[in-house]
Amino acid sequence: MDCHSPTASRYRDGRLLVCHLGQDAIHTINRAIDEASRLAKDRNPSAAAFSPLSRMVTVQDKETRSVHLIHIHNLDHRSPRAPAVGNVVKFSEPAYAAFCTELLQLATPAFYRDQEDLKPGIGDRDDGALTKDATNWADKVIPGGAVTQAELTFVSSHEPWIFCAAHYRNNREFGRLSDHFASEYGYTAATGIADADAFATWLGIEFALGLDKTADVQLSGLDEMLYAATHYSTSLEEGSNSIETVVHVYHGPVHYADRSGRVDTQEHWFDPGAGPRAWFTKRRSFEPQSEYRFAVSTLGNPVDPKHYIVVSTELRALVYPI
């Protein structure tokens, strides 16, 4: 891949170069993503579409010649009639507010499913899962036609780390959310996120720079082969560079639904793009939280369900106290 006409900026003593790829490169990748979605829907018409890119960034280490690739996906699985997302805010205890803390905590959907001591409303046994109506399918495969209702729950085999926020459109909604999080969880600090796409970008950059591939993730043999075989070239210098990390950051409002689709035939099990849809779908009982999520994903499976990202100068510049 070639980085043409980048908008680049040096930071941290000139060692790292951040390159925002242009729209031509993003359009090329999105055409390939659309084709993958079409092929999936040929087998399962209700398959979730793969999420297109809204930004693509490279971070090049001038000393080691390694490159980090960060892909940003702005998604919205809600109904087309849903109101536009307004402002994004993170509620927390004051000590963990992003405008003053040194680290941001992220956690996998499995953490919210399995951690028994989490308060109701934070713990969620269905987090990161899609539940589908499987009555028709079960009625066909179970002899006797005795099935009156059946559901199937799907969980992605590869999960991200999640940073949870909320969204609101006016002062009334903000007041309701503030009262809810303060009374239920003691989250009395509100941190505004000025630009969700930029915040997702720097979240991905800081994640990539801080990731230890030997300790933080468990790479499969295929993952290791992909890293070994992939290189990146730029128009800024001769030769190619090894790719150190590939990161995807998905962000958008949570879709609230108790059932997300149907399974009528065996082919309807095939839904390769359902991962991000599952990460951004929650039961209707959580709807008062108006959640807005950032999901950070990379090759390999998380070793620890919790992960911490350094709040850099660039990341802190995108948040403010409310």
Side-chain angles (χ1 to χ4, degrees), residues 66-69 213 227 230-232 241-246:
S66 62
V67 172
H68 307 273
L69 300 184
K213 289 192 298 186
Y227 272 129
T230 308
H231 295 81
Y232 190 86
N241 304 286
S242 62
I243 293 182
E244 179 65 22
T245 318
V246 178

Side-chain angles (χ1 to χ4, degrees), residues 62-77:
K62 303 292 288 185
E63 293 185 5
T64 65
R65 290 179 60 85
S66 62
V67 172
H68 307 273
L69 300 184
I70 294 90
H71 303 253
I72 309 301
H73 308 259
N74 190 344
L75 49 80
D76 190 343
H77 290 294

Side-chain angles (χ1 to χ4, degrees), residues 302-313:
V303 171
D304 192 321
K306 291 193 291 186
H307 189 77
Y308 296 89
I309 291 179
V310 172
V311 181
S312 63
T313 301

Side-chain angles (χ1 to χ4, degrees), residues 15 18 23 63 71 82 103 105-106 128 134 145 176 197 213 216 261 278-279 284 301:
R15 175 177 176 178
V18 178
Q23 288 301 312
E63 293 185 5
H71 303 253
L103 298 172
Q105 177 185 292
L106 285 68
R176 179 188 64 79
D197 221 34
K213 289 192 298 186
D216 296 329
W279 308 334
R284 291 188 184 278
N301 290 314

Side-chain angles (χ1 to χ4, degrees), residues 93-299:
E93 297 177 23
Y96 302 117
F99 55 81
C100 64
T101 189
E102 299 299 322
L103 298 172
L104 295 182
Q105 177 185 292
L106 285 68
T108 64
F111 174 81
Y112 296 110
R113 289 195 305 270
D114 302 336
Q115 194 74 14
E116 295 181 356
D117 60 350
L118 295 177
K119 293 182 179 180
I122 298 179
D124 176 11
R125 62 183 180 83
D126 297 307
D127 202 303
L130 287 179
T131 299
K132 298 186 178 184
D133 182 355
T135 305
N136 290 343
W137 174 79
D139 193 53
K140 295 173 184 176
V141 300
I142 298 177
V147 177
T148 59
Q149 183 177 353
E151 292 182 340
L152 288 174
T153 299
F154 297 84
V155 177
S156 174
S157 59
H158 175 79
E159 292 198 319
W161 285 281
I162 300 288
F163 181 74
C164 302
H167 64 100
Y168 65 96
R169 292 173 298 163
N170 51 51
N171 290 337
R172 180 179 179 181
E173 290 182 0
F174 176 76
R176 179 188 64 79
L177 287 169
S178 297
D179 291 343
H180 171 76
F181 283 101
S183 61
E184 294 292 328
Y185 313 113
Y187 294 170
T188 56
T191 302
I193 296 176
D195 182 331
D197 221 34
F199 184 84
T201 300
W202 281 99
L203 202 66
I205 290 172
E206 298 305 334
F207 175 89
L209 295 175
L211 183 71
D212 185 339
K213 289 192 298 186
T214 63
D216 296 329
V217 293
Q218 183 177 6
L219 296 174
S220 68
L222 179 59
D223 295 331
E224 292 178 348
M225 289 174 59
L226 287 172
Y227 272 129
T230 308
H231 295 81
Y232 190 86
S233 63
T234 78
S235 57
L236 303 177
E237 60 181 279
E238 296 182 359
S240 62
N241 304 286
S242 62
I243 293 182
E244 179 65 22
T245 318
V246 178
V247 175
H248 292 263
V249 184
Y250 303 83
H251 70 101
V254 166
H255 170 55
Y256 295 97
D258 292 331
R259 286 182 176 176
S260 302
R262 296 168 58 91
V263 176
D264 294 327
T265 67
Q266 190 68 42
E267 287 73 20
H268 288 174
W269 288 58
F270 180 74
D271 198 353
R277 183 178 176 185
W279 308 334
F280 286 80
T281 299
K282 300 193 74 171
R283 296 276 186 172
R284 291 188 184 278
S285 60
F286 291 89
E287 195 164 6
Q289 296 182 351
S290 298
E291 188 171 348
Y292 192 100
R293 286 191 155 186
F294 298 84
V296 184
S297 176
T298 189
L299 293 177

